[in-house]
């Protein structure tokens, strides 16, 4: 939670698959006491439970393509209605198309802040920039703990004991879409559909770029600095309509 109890964000993390959004989102969530809202995790949970949304999303995700804007926006709306999002949240993997970015502005401005009575705040957008070959190394080497969600990398941040989580000893798993042919499609989808999101926020003067090639702790330090800076700027300007710039 922010030291003074004020809202933080929503913080939007942009960046290609493997850029470190999930890794950094967990640290941001812990520092500011706000939830990490990952559309990828929410979708995977739906797939695991075989919900109607999961059934629709399963094959699309396995191919590395994007799930439809409508399905993802409806799912996110449900999540943002939960009381833990009132103090803010870190959005990991959303928005991913220009249409989702426009939807988010309108939803926050006309529904979220209106209905919850929360102080209006602009989204804080941070994009992680990472070299292409580094992305491939990160995605092919990624392993995750199914119990606690901690992320490892066999090349870059291996667990202490082979294939077991350092924290709870669970057997680490490989994500279904971290296969080489699917990785290519995910990276292509990012270029095609998510780069316009960066342009959308850049035009509104809200985009901050961070060098995601740096070691994890250094990326975190720069991220915190950007969020603190943007939060205090927003406080000075508040109240102001979110979509109004
Ligand atoms: P999603 O789950 O969002 O996956 P993604 O965007 O492809 O991102 P990743 O989770 O692969 O990477 P990341 O940036 O979080 O990196 P991480 O921190 O894990 O989406 C999956 C699918 O769901 C999509 O393809 C789509 O089908 C669907 N979907 C989701 N959201 C959607 C939306 N809004 N609209 C439509 N469809 C949607 O790190 C990667 C690895 O690198 C790890 O091993 C980590 O240990 C390592 N690492 C991280 N940072 C560093 C560092 N600084 N140095 C060295 N290693 C590092």
């Amino acid at each position: 939670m922010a030291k003074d109890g004020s809202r933080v964000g929503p913080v939007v993390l942009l960046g290609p698959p493997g850029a470190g959004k999930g890794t950094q989102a967990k640290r941001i969530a812990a520092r500011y006491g706000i939830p990490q809202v990952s559309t990828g995790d929410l979708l995977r949970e739906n797939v695991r439970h075989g919900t109607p949304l999961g059934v629709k999303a399963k094959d699309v995700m396995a191919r590395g393509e994007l799930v439809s804007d409508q399905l993802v926006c409806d799912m996110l709306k449900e999540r943002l209605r939960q009381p833990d999002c009132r103090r803010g949240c870190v959005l990991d993997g959303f928005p991913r198309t220009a249409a989702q970015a426009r939807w988010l502005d309108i939803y926050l401005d006309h529904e979220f802040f209106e209905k919850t009575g929360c102080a209006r705040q602009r989204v804080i957008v941070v994009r992680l920039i990472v070299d292409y070959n580094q992305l491939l190394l990160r995605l092919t080497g990624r392993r995750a703990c199914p119990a606690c969600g901690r992320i490892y990398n066999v090349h870059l941040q291996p667990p202490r004991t082979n294939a077991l989580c350092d924290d709870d000893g669970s057997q680490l798993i490989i994500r279904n879409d971290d296969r080489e042919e699917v990785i290519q499609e995910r990276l292509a989808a990012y270029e095609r559909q998510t780069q316009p999101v960066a342009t959308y926020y850049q035009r509104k003067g809200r985009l901050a770029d961070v060098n995601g090639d740096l070691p994890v702790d250094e990326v975190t330090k720069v991220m915190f600095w950007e969020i603190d800076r943007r939060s205090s700027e927003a406080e000075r300007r508040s109240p102001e309509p979110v979509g109004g710039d």
Side-chain angles (χ1 to χ4, degrees), residues 15-24 38-41 43-44 60-61 64-69 72 92-97 100 128 134 138-139 141-143 151-154 156-157 175 177-178 186 212-216 219:
K21 301 181 297 294
T23 302
Q24 298 300 330
S38 158
T39 44
D41 286 348
L43 287 166
R44 279 185 287 277
V60 179
M61 293 173 76
E65 296 165 10
L66 295 188
V67 175
S68 84
D69 289 338
V72 175
D92 161 12
F94 187 95
R96 244 180 163 94
T97 63
Q100 291 180 13
L128 289 163
Q134 176 69 208
R138 289 186 186 182
L139 292 168
R142 174 166 52 191
R143 302 290 182 272
I151 303 166
Y152 297 86
N153 192 290
V154 292
L156 307 160
Q157 292 118 19
R175 245 168 65 173
D177 56 356
D178 277 348
R186 287 163 61 203
D213 277 325
L214 296 171
V216 176
V219 177

Side-chain angles (χ1 to χ4, degrees), residues 103-155:
W103 175 87
L104 181 64
D105 271 347
I106 293 167
Y107 171 71
L108 289 174
D109 205 14
H110 296 286
E111 216 176 308
F112 182 82
F113 293 121
E114 288 277 310
K115 287 194 177 149
T116 59
C118 294
R120 289 174 188 276
Q121 195 164 330
R122 287 180 185 188
V123 290
I124 297 170
V125 188
V126 185
R127 174 171 60 173
L128 289 163
I129 309 279
V130 180
D131 170 75
Y132 188 84
N133 290 325
Q134 176 69 208
L135 291 175
L136 293 181
L137 199 65
R138 289 186 186 182
L139 292 168
T140 52
R142 174 166 52 191
R143 302 290 182 272
C145 172
C148 70
R150 183 164 167 189
I151 303 166
Y152 297 86
N153 192 290
V154 292
H155 311 299

